[in-house]
Amino acid sequence: MSYKTQMEAARKGIVTPQMKAVAEKENMSLDTLVERMAKGTIIIPANKNHTSLKPEGVGEGLKTKINVNLGISKDCNNFDVEMEKVNKAIEMNVEAIMDLSSFGKTREFRTELIKKSTAMIGTVPIYDAVGFYDKELKDITVEEFIKVVRTHAEDGVDFMTIHAGINKETAKRFKKNQRITNIVSRGGSLLYAWMELNDKENPFYEYYDELLDICREYDVTLSLGDACRPGSIADSTDASQVEELIVLGELTKRAWEKDVQVMVEGPGHMAINEIEANMILEKRLCHGAPFYVLGPIVTDVAPGYDHITSAIGGAIAASSGADFLCYVTPAEHLRLPNIDDMKEGIIASKIAAHAGDIAKGIPNARDWDNNMSRARQSLNWEKMFELAIDSEKPRRYRAESMPEDEDTCTMCGKMCSMRNMNKVMEGKDINILRD
C-alpha cells in the first residue's frame, strides 16, 4: 500500500521507518504509536524532501520536545553567524529548529539549514513573503502567499506555522475586546494588517483546502499559529484567544480529513494559575492535537531573564499536557539572540521539558534524576558532569573553586553531608577538624 503522509500510513496500518525510529527512541510500542498517530494525538513531522532528518515524535505519551528559533533579520543579516547557531543547536541535541528569517537570502539559508539539520525544521512562510517578492505587504496577492508555502514545502520544511485562525470573525472579536498589547504574534499581526488594508478574508483561512493539498503532497505538518496569543498576562485567556482556539479546533479536524498532521500553537504570556486550565482547554477544543507553546511567560517584568520566566511556565505547561516547548532566550523582547543567549534558552527549555516529563510520568524520565542522585551520593564528580543537562558549566564551576578535600566542594568542605553520611554508615570516623 502507498501513502502520502505519516498520518495516512498510520490509518492504513503501515509502519514507516520514521515510526520505527520514534517508537524505539521513546520506548513506546509500535501499536500504541500507530494508533495515536491515526487519531492525530501524535505527529512525526518529516517532509519527504528532508533527507538528513532524524525523526522525532511529538504528542501523547512522548517526551516533551523543544524548539529553537533563529534566522536572518534586516538588522542582523549575517548568514555565517546564524549557521553557527544552527551548529550549536544541533550539537545540543534540540529536536527542532525554526528558521524565522525575514530578510535577504532567506531561501539560500533555509536550503542549507535543511540540508545539514538532523533536527526537524519549521518556518513561518508569511515572514518570507515580503522579502521573497520585494513588495509591500498590502500588495502581495493571495496566489503569492500560497506560492511561498509551496516553495517552503518543496525545500523540505517539516512543519509550517500558518495563522489561519485569525479570520474576519476572530478579528471582530478582537476589535470588541480591548487588549493592552493588541496582537503580538508577528505573523498574526502581518495577516491582520493585510486583511484590514485590503478588506479581505485571511487568505490562509479562505484557501485552507489548497494549503492542505500542499501539506499532503510533501507531508508537511501544519502548525496552526495563535495570532491572538496573549502578549501580556493582562490579555491571557481572553475572548480573542479563546475565539481563535475554537477556530483552530475546527481547522484541525479539516486537516485530519485529508490526513495532514497538525499541532496547535499556544500562549504566550500567562499567569501561573491559568496555565493548567489553558492546556486542558486546548486539548479539549482541538481534539487532543499536540500543543506547542511559547513559554508561557509567567510575568512581564523580567526583561533580560525571560528564559527563566518562560522555563517556569514551560514546566507547568508540560506537566499539564503541553507536548512541545518553544525556547525563550534572555534576549526576548530586546534583540536578536546571540549564541550565548541561545544556549541559555536551550538549557532553560530542556530543564522545563524534563521537569514536565517527570510530572507526566513519561517512561524512564525519573531514571536520569535517580542516576544523578546516586552519583552525588557516591561523590562521583565525573559521573555528575556526564549526566548534567549541561556538563560544561558544572565542570567550570568545580575547576574554579577546588576544595582542600577532593571528596567535597568549597561550600561545605568536610561538613559535606554526603561525605559524612557515607563514612558514618561505613562505621568510619568523619574527621571534620583533622586530616
Side-chain angles (χ1 to χ4, degrees):
M1 288 188 290
S2 63
Y3 62 91
K4 282 280 192 180
T5 71
Q6 295 290 323
M7 184 178 221
E8 183 184 10
R11 288 174 167 177
K12 289 181 174 180
I14 300 171
V15 176
T16 67
Q18 292 84 359
M19 293 177 194
K20 288 180 181 178
V22 169
E24 183 177 350
K25 193 181 299 186
E26 298 279 353
N27 296 304
M28 177 178 280
S29 74
L30 271 170
D31 287 344
T32 299
L33 180 70
V34 170
E35 178 186 352
R36 292 177 182 177
M37 290 188 69
K39 290 193 302 181
T41 60
I42 288 179
I43 58 173
I44 301 178
N47 187 309
K48 67 179 187 180
N49 289 341
H50 187 180
T51 56
S52 61
L53 177 70
K54 291 183 179 178
E56 294 284 353
V58 179
E60 183 184 0
L62 304 182
K63 290 181 287 188
T64 306
K65 307 305 188 295
I66 71 163
N67 170 72
V68 165
N69 290 339
L70 43 77
I72 299 161
S73 71
K74 185 174 182 179
D75 292 306
C76 299
N77 60 1
N78 190 313
F79 187 111
D80 293 334
V81 168
E82 292 308 295
M83 200 53 69
E84 185 183 356
K85 293 181 191 175
V86 170
N87 294 334
K88 189 63 176 179
I90 294 170
E91 178 189 321
M92 294 181 72
N93 297 313
V94 302
E95 289 88 12
I97 297 171
M98 286 200 78
D99 174 16
L100 306 186
S101 294
S102 57
F103 179 80
K105 298 178 181 179
T106 56
R107 193 171 194 188
E108 181 181 338
F109 180 78
R110 182 171 61 252
T111 52
E112 180 65 22
L113 169 62
I114 292 166
K115 181 180 177 181
K116 78 184 311 182
S117 177
T118 53
M120 53 186 164
I121 300 301
T123 58
V124 188
I126 192 171
Y127 291 179
D128 194 24
V130 175
F132 188 82
Y133 295 112
D134 193 24
K135 295 170 71 172
E136 286 299 332
L137 177 67
K138 179 181 182 294
D139 300 324
I140 299 173
T141 66
V142 171
E143 293 75 18
E144 287 171 334
F145 278 128
I146 300 297
K147 184 179 177 181
V148 171
V149 172
R150 178 170 288 280
T151 299
H152 283 222
E154 290 172 349
D155 289 344
V157 171
D158 301 298
F159 64 96
M160 294 186 207
T161 294
I162 302 291
H163 298 88
I166 178 73
N167 59 15
K168 282 192 171 183
E169 289 302 312
T170 311
K172 285 181 185 176
R173 184 73 62 190
F174 162 71
K175 291 174 186 177
K176 288 179 181 178
N177 294 270
Q178 188 174 2
R179 288 175 146 192
I180 290 179
T181 51
N182 295 317
I183 294 176
V184 299
S185 159
R186 192 193 327 178
S189 65
L190 290 171
L191 274 171
Y192 178 83
W194 185 92
M195 292 162 64
E196 290 291 299
L197 291 168
N198 290 285
D199 191 25
K200 289 184 178 180
E201 179 59 277
N202 179 345
F204 295 133
Y205 180 80
E206 187 173 3
Y207 297 92
Y208 189 64
D209 285 328
E210 189 171 341
L211 191 72
L212 293 177
D213 290 340
I214 295 170
C215 291
R216 175 175 169 79
E217 183 178 351
Y218 294 92
D219 198 3
V220 174
T221 295
L222 197 55
S223 189
L224 290 171
D226 53 336
C228 295
R229 71 170 181 261
S232 61
I233 63 171
D235 295 338
S236 63
T237 326
D238 69 350
S240 298
Q241 181 192 332
V242 175
E243 170 98 8
E244 183 182 33
L245 191 60
I246 292 169
V247 177
L248 296 183
E250 295 167 350
L251 294 174
T252 295
K253 291 178 77 172
R254 286 175 59 187
W256 287 347
E257 289 169 4
K258 292 196 173 187
D259 298 322
V260 172
Q261 300 186 100
V262 175
M263 60 182 164
V264 176
E265 298 186 13
H269 293 234
M270 181 168 288
I272 283 177
N273 59 309
E274 295 179 41
I275 295 174
E276 182 179 5
N278 268 263
M279 302 304 110
I280 295 169
L281 189 65
E282 184 278 341
K283 290 289 184 177
R284 179 65 175 165
L285 292 177
C286 297
H287 321 292
F291 201 17
Y292 174 26
V293 299
L294 178 74
I297 291 173
V298 296
T299 177
D300 300 332
V301 298
Y305 300 91
D306 276 326
H307 60 311
I308 298 174
T309 61
S310 173
I312 293 167
I316 297 169
S319 69
S320 303
D323 306 287
F324 194 17
L325 304 181
C326 185
Y327 91 150
V328 173
T329 77
E332 185 78 7
H333 305 112
L334 301 171
R335 69 173 190 200
L336 190 75
N338 62 27
I339 197 164
D340 291 330
D341 298 326
M342 187 188 78
K343 182 178 177 182
E344 290 292 313
I346 290 172
I347 293 167
S349 296
K350 281 177 172 278
I351 293 168
H354 181 60
D357 288 348
I358 293 169
K360 282 190 287 195
I362 298 297
N364 304 321
R366 282 181 176 267
D367 292 350
W368 188 4
D369 296 77
N370 292 342
N371 289 335
M372 176 64 86
S373 296
R374 292 186 186 100
R376 283 184 174 144
Q377 177 61 35
S378 62
L379 297 168
N380 186 339
W381 298 98
E382 188 57 36
K383 188 66 174 177
M384 289 184 234
F385 300 149
E386 289 175 8
L387 289 167
I389 281 180
D390 170 31
S391 62
E392 180 183 322
K393 190 171 187 178
R395 282 184 191 278
R396 174 165 55 82
Y397 275 23
R398 173 79 174 164
E400 287 173 352
S401 185
M402 287 297 293
E404 182 181 352
D405 189 322
E406 288 188 6
D407 280 350
T408 67
C409 76
T410 53
M411 177 74 173
C412 298
K414 286 189 177 181
M415 290 188 183
C416 170
S417 61
M418 297 296 188
R419 170 190 182 273
N420 293 337
M421 285 302 299
N422 287 345
K423 286 182 175 292
V424 166
M425 293 185 76
E426 292 170 6
K428 297 178 180 177
D429 190 342
I430 59 175
N431 297 335
I432 293 176
L433 297 178
R434 59 190 184 280
D435 293 334

